[in-house]
Amino acid sequence: MSQNFLSNYTFSNGLSVKNRVVMSPMTTMSSFYNGMVTSDEINYYGLRAGGPGIIITGVANVSENGKGFEGELSVTTDSMIPGLTALAKAIKKDGTKAILQIFHAGRKSTSKVLRGEQPVSASAISATYPADSEVPRELSHEEILQIITDFGEATRRAIEAGFDGVELHGANTYLLQQFFSENSNQRSDEWGGSQKKRLKFPLAVIDSVKQAVKKHSKNPFLIGYRLSPEEIETPGIRLENSLFFVDQIKEKVDYIHLSMGSYKRTSLNDKKNKATLISQFSTHTKGVVPLIGIGSVEHPDEAEEVLHDGADLIAIGRELIREPKWVQKVAIGDIASIRTKLSPLDMDELAIPSVMQVYLTESFNSVMHFTTDSANVQNYQDTLAPMEGFEKKI
């Protein structure tokens, strides 16, 4: 099969990438307690740099009350810039572009993580998953405006640190998604109510980020948006809602990035809809904005399937944990040496931070293809994955 995913790609703003492979954002849970970058993270990303055209970092919170879990990156203050600069430099080895994913966790946090402070959200409604989710405090109008400003300031810091773009994490039931979802946003003011009003917050965040790029960046700088196609709660986001959402933002961002565990996924809510989600989103994005397809891509032929289904770029996650040189090996035809299984004894050699090793073993054991658990195999074709908000992080 041809390997079109190794061809270069140029975004509409002029930024070119050497191939269409994107290392998907995956948390390492390895930042310092205050969100500063650690050497473990730099080594982890550095080993995987040079192959993919783009590497997207794990999430960095933009507000102090936006932290979702321990070991999370932060971009809340200028004191974070030196560490982020070192991280961007490590990623940009041999022409790989570096994207900083930014977010606010909203109700997907805890008072323990926030050092006694109650989590916040669009409305004072707890998340369905996990079952012991705390009831958040409803954000005031003034607080919403501050978070919008925080996203802009985070973008400025990413620019100053040398990143080539930011990705707004509007997926996995975090705050941007919480404002759009009828499940979590039941406000009656200008920030909630109708579908159009529930769009106001994410649109304002996009505008804040665009203004920061216009003011501070001298070079082409990407603004991406990641979204989850569906929620399984009722009420909640359905596929038609997400396609509407894409239509509203597709001319305001530089790419759309789906979040799902399998590129073969069809609708989780409408079982009569047999078309893949990637193909359905591509009918709305094709010729307007590039679409990043994702989900359990391990082999070169699977990457080609994602492009054939309508995506413009392919995000690869767990496979790049197992095989940091995946792109380089595919490029020289050394397919036989690609590591598709992971021995727990090799994780240090692969520069996987120790805390991340525990995370992979406990939360992703059934899909990491550990050599010690070969019989315990799962895929995410017909269900939400843990990173999509279905299970509690360790």
Side-chain angles (χ1 to χ4, degrees):
M1 182 179 284
S2 61
Q3 295 172 355
N4 295 312
F5 60 86
L6 293 180
S7 64
N8 61 14
Y9 186 87
T10 301
F11 291 86
S12 61
N13 70 353
L15 186 139
S16 294
V17 293
K18 61 182 181 179
N19 59 55
R20 299 171 185 238
V21 177
V22 178
M23 178 170 159
S24 60
M26 297 174 285
T27 178
T28 67
M29 304 191 82
S30 300
S31 300
F32 284 115
Y33 74 96
N34 62 353
M36 285 184 170
V37 175
T38 63
S39 58
D40 282 352
E41 291 174 295
I42 292 174
N43 293 336
Y44 167 80
Y45 284 107
L47 184 62
R48 288 155 181 82
I54 295 173
I55 288 180
I56 306 174
T57 70
V59 289
N61 57 75
V62 303
S63 310
E64 295 296 342
N65 64 358
K67 182 178 179 179
F69 51 89
E70 301 295 352
E72 181 180 286
L73 278 171
S74 174
V75 64
T76 55
T77 66
D78 287 358
S79 63
M80 303 296 167
I81 294 176
L84 292 170
T85 301
L87 179 58
K89 182 179 179 181
I91 291 173
K92 293 171 75 165
K93 173 185 175 183
D94 295 334
T96 295
K97 303 299 183 183
I99 306 294
L100 182 69
Q101 190 184 64
I102 58 177
F103 90 138
H104 189 297
R107 70 180 186 179
K108 297 299 288 186
S109 188
T110 68
S111 55
K112 181 179 180 181
V113 169
L114 298 177
R115 307 299 188 264
E117 185 176 342
Q118 185 180 7
V120 296
S121 187
S123 297
I125 302 170
S126 62
T128 305
Y129 306 101
D132 61 350
S133 294
E134 297 177 33
V135 176
R137 177 175 60 78
E138 180 174 298
L139 286 162
S140 69
H141 174 76
E142 291 72 23
E143 288 175 317
I144 293 171
L145 295 179
Q146 182 59 56
I147 292 173
I148 292 168
T149 298
D150 291 345
F151 272 97
E153 280 293 277
T155 302
R156 172 184 63 79
R157 295 181 185 112
I159 293 169
E160 292 185 13
F163 282 90
D164 301 294
V166 293
E167 178 175 281
L168 302 177
H169 196 352
N172 300 2
T173 71
Y174 292 128
L175 188 65
L176 284 163
Q177 182 175 332
Q178 288 164 31
F179 265 88
F180 184 59
S181 173
E182 189 179 1
N183 180 272
S184 43
N185 185 351
Q186 297 180 20
R187 302 173 72 103
S188 58
D189 64 358
E190 62 187 285
W191 300 102
S194 67
Q195 181 171 237
K196 183 177 180 180
K197 285 187 174 181
R198 297 197 307 274
L199 263 172
K200 183 174 180 177
F201 177 71
L203 289 178
V205 168
I206 291 172
D207 185 57
S208 177
V209 169
K210 287 173 70 72
Q211 289 181 31
V213 172
K214 182 178 180 180
K215 182 176 180 180
H216 298 288
S217 182
K218 297 182 175 64
N219 302 310
F221 188 88
L222 296 178
I223 301 172
Y225 198 100
R226 196 173 200 202
L227 60 91
S228 294
E230 298 174 290
E231 293 177 340
I232 59 175
E233 298 90 344
T234 301
I237 294 171
R238 297 297 180 259
L239 181 57
E240 57 268 26
N241 302 125
S242 290
L243 293 174
F244 170 81
F245 185 93
V246 165
D247 284 340
Q248 309 312 305
I249 71 168
K250 63 186 180 183
E251 295 184 3
K252 300 177 184 294
V253 298
D254 296 301
Y255 69 80
I256 302 289
H257 184 186
L258 300 180
S259 179
M260 53 190 188
S262 171
Y263 71 92
K264 297 179 181 180
R265 182 179 293 175
T266 56
S267 175
L268 296 177
N269 293 294
D270 183 1
K271 296 303 181 181
K272 295 180 181 179
N273 184 345
K274 300 299 183 181
T276 63
L277 295 179
I278 289 176
S279 67
Q280 294 185 71
F281 276 93
S282 70
T283 63
H284 289 251
T285 60
K286 189 61 67 177
V288 182
V289 64
L291 176 68
I292 301 180
I294 189 172
S296 301
V297 175
E298 299 175 2
H299 303 283
D301 56 347
E302 293 172 333
E304 283 301 316
E305 286 181 35
V306 174
L307 287 185
H308 183 74
D309 209 21
D312 301 282
L313 300 102
I314 307 100
I316 299 177
R318 298 184 299 275
E319 179 55 28
L320 280 170
I321 296 176
R322 294 185 287 260
E323 180 52 77
K325 304 301 179 186
W326 189 92
V327 175
Q328 294 94 323
K329 289 185 176 183
V330 171
I332 65 172
D334 190 13
I335 309 299
S337 73
I338 290 178
R339 189 184 334 227
T340 57
K341 293 187 177 182
L342 178 61
S343 169
L345 297 177
D346 291 343
M347 289 200 280
D348 287 338
E349 175 189 338
L350 293 171
I352 301 172
S354 56
V355 176
M356 187 179 182
Q357 293 182 25
V358 176
Y359 180 43
L360 296 177
T361 303
E362 294 190 358
S363 294
F364 290 90
N365 183 275
S366 62
V367 291
M368 280 308 300
H369 304 335
F370 282 113
T371 54
T372 51
D373 296 291
S374 58
N376 183 22
V377 177
Q378 177 187 356
N379 66 60
Y380 295 135
Q381 185 169 342
D382 300 311
T383 185
L384 294 178
M387 61 279 194
E388 296 177 78
F390 188 60
E391 294 180 3
K392 188 176 183 178
K393 289 184 172 66
I394 62 169

